[in-house]
Every structure is written in structure tokens, then in C-alpha cells.
Amino acid sequence: MLTTLMLTMIMAGPVAQQTDTVVPVPAGARLDVELMRADVTVRTWDRREVRIVSRPGGVDVRATDGTVKVRSGFGRAGGGAMEHVTVEITVPRDMGVGLDGHSLNADLRGMGGEVTVTTLQGRVRLEGGRQHVQLHALQGAIDCAGAEGRIDLETTNGSIMATGIAGDIRAHSLNGQVTLRDVRASTVDAYTLNGGIEYAGTITAGGEYTLETHSGNVTVAIPERVGVTIEASTFGGAFESDFPVTLQKSESGGRTVSLSLGDGKARMKLTSFGGTIRLRRP
Amino acid sequence: MTDHWTDRLSEYVDGDLSPNERRALEAHLSGCPTCAGVVADLRAVVATASELTDRDPAVDLWPGIAAQLPSAPGVTSLSRRQRLHQRRVTFSVPQLAAAGLALVLVSSGLLWAALRDRGGDVSPVELPAMTVAAAAADPATAYGAAIADLEALLAQHRESLDTATVRVLEESLTIIDRAIAEAQAALAEDPANRYLNGHLTTTMQRKLTLLQQAVSLTTVAS
Amino acid sequence: MSLSRDAVAGGDLGDARLAAAGDHAAFERLYRGHVARIHSLACRMLGPEDADEATQEIFIRVWEKLGSFRGDAAFGTWLHRLAINHLLGGRASRGRDRERMRQDSVALETAGARNRDTALTMDFEAAIARLPRGAREVFVLHDVEGFKHHEIAQLLGVTEGTSKAQLHRARMSLRRHLER
């Protein structure tokens, strides 16, 4: 817990002035960044310090109550366009990080703590992240690699690509492809309205996997020696399967097929209104 | 494995046994898991058979039929025309875009205002409690009310969002409205279809969520 | 967008009258409205390979007999009865060799995966088509079409007892195809 002795305040002057600040932080401290328009890069190191470099203009950095806060150096009084800044931040590996903005391009690597990124526009790339990862954009692609824990990826207009992640995963897009590869998850909730879903990963006993799209295809690579019960429904689309399936029921124009592999202990539900559902051998 | 009851099990399932026979069989079933399992299986077969639905042939057979009909004078034989009652519903994108666009004009015409700067202390707009009837017979009705509330709220606050955000939200609404139109059209052909009802509900929920997101973007400066 | 049942029925009667007078367009409308039902029935009674041809024959028969449709029953009901008669009546001559093979086959086991490009391998309807003819006809008429045993006995020229036994035999075969 930071004490007031460690309080550091740096005010960016009215003149465009670079920021290059180092703030010592104890274990358990958090980084909290709020910028209107920025390209933010976050990297990690072994020091118990946070370094913030910003150009062309400065940013406001404060450390209070266990949190290092980074805010725009302009327009705090309201009104006026925000200058776009490029910010590079280096943090201790296990530090929790939160980025929030209007137009943020965020690029975080080597993260060993919790990560939250929220932006209206912009591309989000994360490598790492532990326990809780939340990447939300309104417009922009989300790229998440190597995260572990509760993972929540959401964009309205953009694709989601998640590789090498583990845990409980939620990946929702409205207009964009959702790709989950090399995934080790016990709960997967993947959704897109206009776009396809691709899943290649483990299917663990007792796990629940829901992949749903309106107009795209759903493609699942089924690993060897897996135990899963699959229910796949499409209204206007088709099925393709490398495995024998049973037609469970067919209502007008819609069909559901089911199959069970191994002990059937995991549950997978695949739905597409108009697209094709494919079950592939790996 | 057979016993003298095995051959009567279908009659039992159909209610064709006399009361005495039925009682005797039921007494037997309580002590015979094999027969009880068969009864369950038979009921499942009957249920599946009753749920089978009809499908159009994979190939259009009409040309072959038309070719063999003796033609009557004064009547034009149509070789190819739009299907009127096909079960599998197909749409052209322009048709859907037209439907979707009309809805967008209604739903987003009131919406967009510029986002005020988010410096200092801002308090987000308090959303009214959104309650949607859990098992609505008509998802359009249940969600329609909640969606209308949100649209009114946005119109009320009237703050400006930047054009890029507006564009994204409008494009997203177009896409959702198109999907809703597809689902509704399919549902109109088959109103009892459980999958379609659930799908329409899910899609309308997406629209609701998007509008809630849009509302939360409009802030009231403290 | 969908028409109410009354509107459709009115449409059928009107179209039947027009078609009886030689209007091909009206007959095509009737065809479009009922082909799914007739074709599915033909599939289940005869198997998919004969269903297309049988469906065409049925509709041509309908065209020829339109003059005798009085409109006292719904057109769909009339058409359905005509189709059943045709499907049952043709069994003496149609596909005799194929029929013999079916009766001899024990084709009730799971077929296994076809090649990748085929969507479904085994389904309930395919299992129906593989039943021996007697059991298949009774099953379709009773469990799918809803006829009673005494009606089926009349249609097929068998006793009610035979109808019940065939139904049971069909159901016992088909239950294997509900399991995984």
C-alpha cells in the first residue's frame, strides 16, 4: 500500500512537453490509464517501478492509494480536441493494468497480472495476462495470446483472435470472425452475429462449449481421444462432419444433429442460422 | 430376451390393451427393467415419428411434371417462377438491407449526439431498470418495449457522439436488424419452431445490449 | 408474411378449380404447396431412390383426376389419400428386385461415416426406408401419418393383428437408431 510519502505528482505544462517519469511501486500496486486518443504500449521488467514515457505531449501521472494513474495532460477542464499521444509504459511483471479510452491502440506484452482494456475505437493486442483479462472494444480487432484465467473478449465491429489461452473464455463479436486456437478451456462462450467461429483446442471433461453465430460458419477441430456430446443446429445451413452423426430432430428448414464421442462428458453446443457447421478431425 | 409380454408392448404404448391386460403388464413392468427400457424406447420412437417434418425434394420436380401435362389452349405454362411456399427460406441481400435499413432509420434516427469530453468527474447516465419478460411468447414484443425505452433515453440526452462512433453503432444496428429480419421472416413461415424463437430472442437481446452500450456512452458532466 | 390457414385453403380450392380448367400456373401453385408432404411420404414409403419418380407420377395422376375433386374435403386431404393409394398400389410392379433385396437385408446397423462431403450418415428417416416393406408401410401409416389399425388393415388388405405385429416389429428395429 502506497503511503502519502510516496505520492508523486507531475503536472504536464501547457506547452507540449514530453513526459518521462519513473514511479516506484510496492507489490500489489495497479496501473490505471485513461486517455482519450493514444497509442499505448505496455511492457514489463523486473524492477519494482513504473516508467511512463509520452510524446509529443505530456500526460498527467499521479500515484495514490496503491494505484498509478495516468491521465490526459490536456482538456481536463472539458472541451476541445485531444491531442493524440504515444505512451510507452513499463511495469513490474505481476502488476495489474487497466487502460480506458476513446481511441486507444493498445499493445501489451509479457503481462503477468490482471489486464483490463476498454476502448471505443482501436486495436487491442495482449500477450499474457493472468487471473482476469477483459478486452473490450466497440470498433477494433482484439488479439489475445497466452492469457490464463477468466478471459472476456468483446468487440462489436472487429475480429477476435485468441491463441494459447487457458481458462474460462468469453469471446463475443457482432461483426467479425472469432478464432480460438490452441485453447485450453473448460468453459467457452463464443458468439458472433456476422462472421464465423473457429475453435481448435482441448475439450475437457465436464466442460461447456457454446459457439453460436447467425450468418457465419462454425468450424471445430475435435482432438483425439476426447469425450464430448455435441449438439449442432443450423437453420438454413449445412453440416459437414468427419464423424458419424445422428439426425436428432428436424423442424421446418432447421436441423439438429448430435453425436457423442468417448465418454461424452464434455458438452458442446454449436449453432448457426445460415452458415455451415463443420466438425473436423485435427 | 423375450417373454410373453415383449410382443404386446407396442399395444400397451398405444393404449390398445384391455384394462385387465394393462394392469397385468404394468405389474410386470415394475419388476422387469428390460421391458421397462423397451417401453421407454418405443415411446421415443413414436415421439420421433410424430416430429418428423416434410422437406421439399432436393431437385425441382416441377419441370418434369409440367412437361407431361397436356397443355390447354389459352393457358401459358410457366417454366420457372418464384417459389411461394418453400420451407427453406432464402433471402437476397438487397431485400434484407431494405428491411434492415427501414428499421435502422427508425431506431437510430433519434440517437446520436457528440460525446462530451471525459475529463474530470463524470457520472454515467443511470439506466432505467430493464426488465424483459423471461419466457415471452413473442420476443419482438418483450424486447420491443425495452428497445424503445432505450431509444427514447438516448434521444432525451442528446449529447454528441463523434462521427466515427456513430458510424460503428449505425453499421452494427444495420447488421443486427438484418439478422432480426431474417429470423422473423423464417419464424413467420414456422411460428412454432423452437430454435427460431430462441434465435430471435438472442438476436434481439444483442440489439438491446448494443443500445445499452450506446446509452452508456452518453455522459452527463457533473 | 405467411398466409393464414383459411386463406391457404381458399387458395387451394380456387387453384384446384382453375387447374381443373387447364390452368398450369394454378396447378404449379398447388404443387409448390404440397410437394414437401407428398415427397416426404413417398420417401418414407418407397425409399429415397424411388421418391422423385413416384412424386411426379402422383401429381400427374392428380392433374388427371382434378375433375373429380368436389371440394367437400380439403384439397390436401384428397391429395394425400390419392398419394397413399398410388404408393401402395404400385408395389406390385415397382422396383420388385430392389424390394426383395430390402427384405433380405439386415440393413439396420449404423452405416458408419460416409465420405467427408456427405453431411449426414445415418438418420431416422433413412432407417425407416430400410425397414422391410410390410413393417415400413404400417409404421409410416400409423406412427407418421396417423392412421388407425383398422384403416391400415383395409388399405393393405391384412388383418388388424398383422398390422399391430408389423408396427411393433418396425418400432423395435427403429429404436436402435435413436441411441448414439
Short mmCIF file of all heavy atoms in Angstrom, two decimals, chain B residues 20-67:
data_model
loop_
_atom_site.label_atom_id
_atom_site.label_comp_id
_atom_site.label_asym_id
_atom_site.label_seq_id
_atom_site.Cartn_x
_atom_site.Cartn_y
_atom_site.Cartn_z
N ASN B 20 -57.64 -55.19 -17.91
CA ASN B 20 -57.01 -56.30 -17.19
C ASN B 20 -55.59 -56.53 -17.69
O ASN B 20 -54.65 -56.71 -16.90
CB ASN B 20 -57.82 -57.59 -17.35
CG ASN B 20 -59.03 -57.60 -16.43
OD1 ASN B 20 -59.06 -56.83 -15.46
ND2 ASN B 20 -60.00 -58.43 -16.72
N GLU B 21 -55.47 -56.55 -19.02
CA GLU B 21 -54.15 -56.77 -19.60
C GLU B 21 -53.19 -55.66 -19.19
O GLU B 21 -52.01 -55.90 -18.86
CB GLU B 21 -54.25 -56.82 -21.13
CG GLU B 21 -54.89 -58.10 -21.68
CD GLU B 21 -55.13 -57.99 -23.17
OE1 GLU B 21 -55.47 -56.89 -23.64
OE2 GLU B 21 -54.97 -59.01 -23.87
N ARG B 22 -53.71 -54.44 -19.21
CA ARG B 22 -52.84 -53.30 -18.88
C ARG B 22 -52.34 -53.41 -17.44
O ARG B 22 -51.16 -53.21 -17.15
CB ARG B 22 -53.60 -51.99 -19.09
CG ARG B 22 -52.73 -50.74 -18.87
CD ARG B 22 -53.48 -49.46 -19.24
NE ARG B 22 -54.79 -49.39 -18.61
CZ ARG B 22 -55.02 -49.10 -17.36
NH1 ARG B 22 -54.00 -48.87 -16.54
NH2 ARG B 22 -56.24 -49.06 -16.89
N ARG B 23 -53.23 -53.78 -16.53
CA ARG B 23 -52.82 -53.90 -15.13
C ARG B 23 -51.76 -54.97 -14.97
O ARG B 23 -50.77 -54.80 -14.27
CB ARG B 23 -54.03 -54.22 -14.24
CG ARG B 23 -54.70 -52.97 -13.69
CD ARG B 23 -55.69 -53.35 -12.60
NE ARG B 23 -56.80 -54.12 -13.14
CZ ARG B 23 -57.90 -53.57 -13.67
NH1 ARG B 23 -58.03 -52.28 -13.73
NH2 ARG B 23 -58.87 -54.35 -14.13
N ALA B 24 -52.00 -56.11 -15.63
CA ALA B 24 -51.04 -57.21 -15.51
C ALA B 24 -49.68 -56.79 -16.08
O ALA B 24 -48.63 -57.09 -15.51
CB ALA B 24 -51.57 -58.45 -16.25
N LEU B 25 -49.70 -56.10 -17.21
CA LEU B 25 -48.44 -55.68 -17.82
C LEU B 25 -47.71 -54.68 -16.93
O LEU B 25 -46.50 -54.75 -16.75
CB LEU B 25 -48.69 -55.09 -19.21
CG LEU B 25 -47.46 -54.50 -19.92
CD1 LEU B 25 -46.32 -55.53 -19.99
CD2 LEU B 25 -47.80 -54.02 -21.31
N GLU B 26 -48.46 -53.76 -16.37
CA GLU B 26 -47.81 -52.76 -15.53
C GLU B 26 -47.20 -53.38 -14.30
O GLU B 26 -46.15 -52.96 -13.82
CB GLU B 26 -48.81 -51.64 -15.17
CG GLU B 26 -48.98 -50.67 -16.33
CD GLU B 26 -50.08 -49.66 -16.13
OE1 GLU B 26 -50.82 -49.79 -15.16
OE2 GLU B 26 -50.19 -48.73 -16.95
N ALA B 27 -47.87 -54.42 -13.78
CA ALA B 27 -47.28 -55.14 -12.66
C ALA B 27 -45.96 -55.78 -13.09
O ALA B 27 -44.96 -55.75 -12.37
CB ALA B 27 -48.25 -56.20 -12.16
N HIS B 28 -45.98 -56.34 -14.30
CA HIS B 28 -44.75 -56.95 -14.81
C HIS B 28 -43.65 -55.90 -15.00
O HIS B 28 -42.49 -56.13 -14.65
CB HIS B 28 -45.05 -57.63 -16.15
CG HIS B 28 -43.80 -58.09 -16.86
ND1 HIS B 28 -43.12 -59.24 -16.51
CD2 HIS B 28 -43.11 -57.53 -17.89
CE1 HIS B 28 -42.07 -59.38 -17.30
NE2 HIS B 28 -42.03 -58.37 -18.14
N LEU B 29 -44.01 -54.75 -15.51
CA LEU B 29 -43.01 -53.70 -15.81
C LEU B 29 -42.31 -53.24 -14.55
O LEU B 29 -41.12 -52.90 -14.59
CB LEU B 29 -43.69 -52.50 -16.48
CG LEU B 29 -44.07 -52.67 -17.96
CD1 LEU B 29 -44.79 -51.41 -18.45
CD2 LEU B 29 -42.85 -52.94 -18.82
N SER B 30 -43.05 -53.21 -13.45
CA SER B 30 -42.42 -52.69 -12.24
C SER B 30 -41.30 -53.61 -11.77
O SER B 30 -40.39 -53.19 -11.06
CB SER B 30 -43.47 -52.50 -11.13
OG SER B 30 -44.04 -53.75 -10.84
N GLY B 31 -41.32 -54.86 -12.23
CA GLY B 31 -40.26 -55.76 -11.81
C GLY B 31 -39.32 -56.17 -12.93
O GLY B 31 -38.44 -57.00 -12.73
N CYS B 32 -39.52 -55.59 -14.11
CA CYS B 32 -38.71 -56.02 -15.26
C CYS B 32 -38.08 -54.81 -15.93
O CYS B 32 -38.71 -54.19 -16.79
CB CYS B 32 -39.58 -56.79 -16.25
SG CYS B 32 -38.67 -57.31 -17.74
N PRO B 33 -36.86 -54.49 -15.56
CA PRO B 33 -36.22 -53.30 -16.15
C PRO B 33 -36.01 -53.40 -17.65
O PRO B 33 -36.03 -52.40 -18.35
CB PRO B 33 -34.89 -53.20 -15.40
CG PRO B 33 -34.70 -54.47 -14.67
CD PRO B 33 -36.02 -55.12 -14.53
N THR B 34 -35.83 -54.63 -18.13
CA THR B 34 -35.65 -54.79 -19.58
C THR B 34 -36.88 -54.31 -20.33
O THR B 34 -36.80 -53.51 -21.27
CB THR B 34 -35.37 -56.26 -19.92
OG1 THR B 34 -34.27 -56.71 -19.13
CG2 THR B 34 -35.02 -56.42 -21.39
N CYS B 35 -38.03 -54.84 -19.92
CA CYS B 35 -39.27 -54.42 -20.59
C CYS B 35 -39.54 -52.93 -20.38
O CYS B 35 -40.02 -52.25 -21.29
CB CYS B 35 -40.45 -55.26 -20.07
SG CYS B 35 -40.52 -56.90 -20.80
N ALA B 36 -39.24 -52.45 -19.19
CA ALA B 36 -39.45 -51.03 -18.94
C ALA B 36 -38.59 -50.19 -19.88
O ALA B 36 -39.03 -49.15 -20.40
CB ALA B 36 -39.14 -50.70 -17.48
N GLY B 37 -37.36 -50.66 -20.11
CA GLY B 37 -36.49 -49.96 -21.05
C GLY B 37 -37.04 -49.99 -22.46
O GLY B 37 -36.99 -49.00 -23.19
N VAL B 38 -37.59 -51.13 -22.83
CA VAL B 38 -38.17 -51.23 -24.17
C VAL B 38 -39.35 -50.27 -24.31
O VAL B 38 -39.52 -49.61 -25.34
CB VAL B 38 -38.61 -52.68 -24.47
CG1 VAL B 38 -39.38 -52.74 -25.78
CG2 VAL B 38 -37.40 -53.60 -24.55
N VAL B 39 -40.16 -50.19 -23.30
CA VAL B 39 -41.31 -49.26 -23.34
C VAL B 39 -40.82 -47.83 -23.55
O VAL B 39 -41.38 -47.08 -24.37
CB VAL B 39 -42.16 -49.38 -22.05
CG1 VAL B 39 -43.12 -48.21 -21.94
CG2 VAL B 39 -42.91 -50.70 -22.04
N ALA B 40 -39.78 -47.47 -22.82
CA ALA B 40 -39.24 -46.12 -22.99
C ALA B 40 -38.75 -45.91 -24.41
O ALA B 40 -38.98 -44.85 -25.02
CB ALA B 40 -38.12 -45.88 -21.98
N ASP B 41 -38.07 -46.92 -24.94
CA ASP B 41 -37.58 -46.82 -26.31
C ASP B 41 -38.73 -46.66 -27.30
O ASP B 41 -38.68 -45.85 -28.22
CB ASP B 41 -36.81 -48.09 -26.69
CG ASP B 41 -35.43 -48.13 -26.07
OD1 ASP B 41 -34.99 -47.10 -25.51
OD2 ASP B 41 -34.79 -49.20 -26.14
N LEU B 42 -39.76 -47.45 -27.12
CA LEU B 42 -40.88 -47.40 -28.05
C LEU B 42 -41.54 -46.03 -28.01
O LEU B 42 -41.90 -45.47 -29.05
CB LEU B 42 -41.91 -48.48 -27.70
CG LEU B 42 -41.45 -49.93 -27.89
CD1 LEU B 42 -42.54 -50.90 -27.43
CD2 LEU B 42 -41.09 -50.20 -29.34
N ARG B 43 -41.68 -45.49 -26.82
CA ARG B 43 -42.27 -44.15 -26.72
C ARG B 43 -41.40 -43.14 -27.44
O ARG B 43 -41.92 -42.21 -28.08
CB ARG B 43 -42.43 -43.74 -25.25
CG ARG B 43 -43.52 -44.51 -24.55
CD ARG B 43 -44.07 -43.75 -23.35
NE ARG B 43 -45.30 -44.41 -22.88
CZ ARG B 43 -45.40 -45.10 -21.75
NH1 ARG B 43 -44.36 -45.21 -20.96
NH2 ARG B 43 -46.54 -45.65 -21.42
N ALA B 44 -40.09 -43.31 -27.34
CA ALA B 44 -39.18 -42.40 -28.03
C ALA B 44 -39.32 -42.51 -29.55
O ALA B 44 -39.29 -41.51 -30.26
CB ALA B 44 -37.73 -42.67 -27.61
N VAL B 45 -39.49 -43.73 -30.03
CA VAL B 45 -39.68 -43.91 -31.47
C VAL B 45 -40.96 -43.22 -31.92
O VAL B 45 -40.98 -42.52 -32.92
CB VAL B 45 -39.73 -45.42 -31.83
CG1 VAL B 45 -40.21 -45.60 -33.26
CG2 VAL B 45 -38.36 -46.05 -31.66
N VAL B 46 -42.02 -43.42 -31.17
CA VAL B 46 -43.31 -42.80 -31.51
C VAL B 46 -43.18 -41.28 -31.51
O VAL B 46 -43.65 -40.59 -32.42
CB VAL B 46 -44.41 -43.25 -30.53
CG1 VAL B 46 -45.69 -42.46 -30.76
CG2 VAL B 46 -44.68 -44.74 -30.68
N ALA B 47 -42.50 -40.77 -30.50
CA ALA B 47 -42.33 -39.31 -30.42
C ALA B 47 -41.52 -38.79 -31.60
O ALA B 47 -41.86 -37.77 -32.20
CB ALA B 47 -41.65 -38.94 -29.10
N THR B 48 -40.45 -39.50 -31.93
CA THR B 48 -39.64 -39.07 -33.07
C THR B 48 -40.44 -39.09 -34.36
O THR B 48 -40.36 -38.17 -35.17
CB THR B 48 -38.40 -39.97 -33.20
OG1 THR B 48 -37.69 -39.95 -31.98
CG2 THR B 48 -37.49 -39.48 -34.32
N ALA B 49 -41.22 -40.15 -34.53
CA ALA B 49 -42.02 -40.25 -35.75
C ALA B 49 -43.01 -39.11 -35.86
O ALA B 49 -43.27 -38.60 -36.94
CB ALA B 49 -42.74 -41.59 -35.79
N SER B 50 -43.56 -38.71 -34.73
CA SER B 50 -44.57 -37.65 -34.79
C SER B 50 -43.94 -36.29 -35.03
O SER B 50 -44.63 -35.35 -35.39
CB SER B 50 -45.39 -37.63 -33.50
OG SER B 50 -44.58 -37.19 -32.44
N GLU B 51 -42.62 -36.20 -34.81
CA GLU B 51 -41.96 -34.92 -35.03
C GLU B 51 -41.29 -34.80 -36.38
O GLU B 51 -40.73 -33.76 -36.71
CB GLU B 51 -40.89 -34.70 -33.94
CG GLU B 51 -41.48 -34.35 -32.59
CD GLU B 51 -40.42 -34.42 -31.50
OE1 GLU B 51 -39.24 -34.61 -31.82
OE2 GLU B 51 -40.80 -34.30 -30.33
N LEU B 52 -41.35 -35.86 -37.17
CA LEU B 52 -40.75 -35.78 -38.50
C LEU B 52 -41.45 -34.69 -39.30
O LEU B 52 -42.66 -34.53 -39.23
CB LEU B 52 -40.90 -37.11 -39.24
CG LEU B 52 -40.13 -38.30 -38.69
CD1 LEU B 52 -40.44 -39.54 -39.51
CD2 LEU B 52 -38.65 -38.02 -38.69
N THR B 53 -40.68 -33.96 -40.03
CA THR B 53 -41.31 -32.93 -40.84
C THR B 53 -41.01 -33.16 -42.31
O THR B 53 -40.13 -33.93 -42.67
CB THR B 53 -40.80 -31.53 -40.45
OG1 THR B 53 -39.39 -31.54 -40.51
CG2 THR B 53 -41.27 -31.16 -39.07
N ASP B 54 -41.75 -32.47 -43.09
CA ASP B 54 -41.68 -32.69 -44.53
C ASP B 54 -40.67 -31.77 -45.17
O ASP B 54 -40.55 -30.60 -44.79
CB ASP B 54 -43.06 -32.47 -45.15
CG ASP B 54 -44.11 -33.38 -44.53
OD1 ASP B 54 -43.76 -34.53 -44.19
OD2 ASP B 54 -45.25 -32.93 -44.37
N ARG B 55 -39.99 -32.28 -46.15
CA ARG B 55 -38.98 -31.48 -46.83
C ARG B 55 -39.22 -31.52 -48.33
O ARG B 55 -39.60 -32.54 -48.88
CB ARG B 55 -37.58 -32.03 -46.55
CG ARG B 55 -36.93 -31.42 -45.34
CD ARG B 55 -35.67 -32.15 -45.00
NE ARG B 55 -35.94 -33.30 -44.16
CZ ARG B 55 -35.00 -34.11 -43.68
NH1 ARG B 55 -33.76 -33.89 -43.97
NH2 ARG B 55 -35.31 -35.12 -42.92
N ASP B 56 -38.92 -30.43 -48.97
CA ASP B 56 -39.00 -30.39 -50.42
C ASP B 56 -38.00 -31.36 -51.03
O ASP B 56 -36.95 -31.63 -50.44
CB ASP B 56 -38.67 -28.99 -50.93
CG ASP B 56 -39.83 -28.04 -50.76
OD1 ASP B 56 -40.99 -28.49 -50.79
OD2 ASP B 56 -39.56 -26.84 -50.59
N PRO B 57 -38.29 -31.89 -52.19
CA PRO B 57 -37.28 -32.73 -52.84
C PRO B 57 -36.03 -31.92 -53.14
O PRO B 57 -36.09 -30.71 -53.33
CB PRO B 57 -37.97 -33.17 -54.14
CG PRO B 57 -39.17 -32.32 -54.28
CD PRO B 57 -39.52 -31.77 -52.95
N ALA B 58 -34.90 -32.60 -53.19
CA ALA B 58 -33.64 -31.91 -53.43
C ALA B 58 -33.61 -31.28 -54.82
O ALA B 58 -33.01 -30.24 -55.04
CB ALA B 58 -32.48 -32.88 -53.27
N VAL B 59 -34.26 -31.94 -55.74
CA VAL B 59 -34.31 -31.46 -57.12
C VAL B 59 -35.71 -30.94 -57.40
O VAL B 59 -36.69 -31.50 -56.93
CB VAL B 59 -33.98 -32.63 -58.09
CG1 VAL B 59 -34.17 -32.21 -59.52
CG2 VAL B 59 -32.57 -33.13 -57.86
N ASP B 60 -35.82 -29.88 -58.14
CA ASP B 60 -37.13 -29.36 -58.51
C ASP B 60 -37.80 -30.32 -59.49
O ASP B 60 -37.30 -30.54 -60.60
CB ASP B 60 -36.98 -27.97 -59.14
CG ASP B 60 -38.32 -27.31 -59.43
OD1 ASP B 60 -39.37 -27.90 -59.09
OD2 ASP B 60 -38.31 -26.21 -60.00
N LEU B 61 -38.91 -30.90 -59.08
CA LEU B 61 -39.56 -31.89 -59.93
C LEU B 61 -40.57 -31.27 -60.89
O LEU B 61 -41.11 -31.97 -61.77
CB LEU B 61 -40.27 -32.94 -59.06
CG LEU B 61 -39.36 -33.70 -58.09
CD1 LEU B 61 -40.18 -34.60 -57.19
CD2 LEU B 61 -38.32 -34.50 -58.85
N TRP B 62 -40.86 -30.02 -60.72
CA TRP B 62 -41.92 -29.40 -61.49
C TRP B 62 -41.69 -29.46 -63.00
O TRP B 62 -42.62 -29.79 -63.75
CB TRP B 62 -42.16 -27.95 -61.04
CG TRP B 62 -43.16 -27.27 -61.91
CD1 TRP B 62 -42.93 -26.29 -62.82
CD2 TRP B 62 -44.56 -27.58 -62.01
NE1 TRP B 62 -44.10 -25.93 -63.47
CE2 TRP B 62 -45.10 -26.72 -63.00
CE3 TRP B 62 -45.40 -28.48 -61.37
CZ2 TRP B 62 -46.45 -26.75 -63.35
CZ3 TRP B 62 -46.74 -28.51 -61.72
CH2 TRP B 62 -47.26 -27.65 -62.70
N PRO B 63 -40.48 -29.16 -63.47
CA PRO B 63 -40.28 -29.23 -64.94
C PRO B 63 -40.66 -30.58 -65.52
O PRO B 63 -41.29 -30.64 -66.58
CB PRO B 63 -38.78 -28.93 -65.10
CG PRO B 63 -38.42 -28.15 -63.91
CD PRO B 63 -39.27 -28.68 -62.80
N GLY B 64 -40.31 -31.65 -64.81
CA GLY B 64 -40.66 -32.97 -65.30
C GLY B 64 -42.15 -33.19 -65.33
O GLY B 64 -42.70 -33.84 -66.23
N ILE B 65 -42.84 -32.64 -64.33
CA ILE B 65 -44.29 -32.78 -64.28
C ILE B 65 -44.93 -31.94 -65.37
O ILE B 65 -45.80 -32.41 -66.13
CB ILE B 65 -44.82 -32.36 -62.90
CG1 ILE B 65 -44.33 -33.33 -61.84
CG2 ILE B 65 -46.34 -32.28 -62.90
CD1 ILE B 65 -44.56 -32.86 -60.42
N ALA B 66 -44.49 -30.69 -65.46
CA ALA B 66 -45.09 -29.77 -66.44
C ALA B 66 -44.96 -30.31 -67.85
O ALA B 66 -45.86 -30.15 -68.68
CB ALA B 66 -44.43 -28.40 -66.32
N ALA B 67 -43.83 -30.96 -68.10
CA ALA B 67 -43.60 -31.49 -69.45
C ALA B 67 -44.62 -32.56 -69.81
O ALA B 67 -44.91 -32.77 -71.00
CB ALA B 67 -42.19 -32.05 -69.56
#
